[in-house]
Amino acid sequence: MTNITPLGKLILVKQFNSSETKTAGGLIVAATATENDLKKGLVIKVGPGERSGFNGELYPVDTIKEGMTVYYSPNHATEIIDQETKEKYYFINSGVLFGYESMEDPDA
């Protein structure tokens, strides 16, 4: 785990490995064809939200929670490397996410 904490409406995401470069039919997909596709990642941490400029009230990040799987554009992700673990993470504004996968409720 990392000690990096996002601020504001940012979330910290670890991208799932997307090493698959062959189609089901066996065709090789060029790296440039996939670099702009939507990416899928695991939410590691969520920022506290933003304060209103009007009254200073904190508006937390809605819906997105740690442990969720999210879909995002690589064009809206800022890559960082944890200096301790050397792992790659991405800061993404929660407002530019394309979607998420619902978390299963084990008590349901």
Side-chain angles (χ1 to χ4, degrees), residues 81-99:
I81 296 177
D82 185 327
Q83 294 305 308
E84 292 180 16
T85 65
K86 305 300 182 207
E87 289 188 284
K88 204 183 289 188
Y89 295 95
Y90 297 89
F91 279 126
I92 304 168
N93 184 315
S94 61
V96 298
L97 293 174
F98 282 85

Side-chain angles (χ1 to χ4, degrees), residues 45-73:
K45 293 185 182 177
V46 178
E50 285 190 323
R51 295 212 174 265
S52 165
F54 179 69
N55 62 8
E57 185 176 342
L58 180 66
Y59 291 99
V61 174
D62 190 29
T63 310
I64 305 302
K65 307 289 181 226
E66 292 177 12
M68 292 178 99
T69 298
V70 292
Y71 294 88
Y72 61 93
S73 167

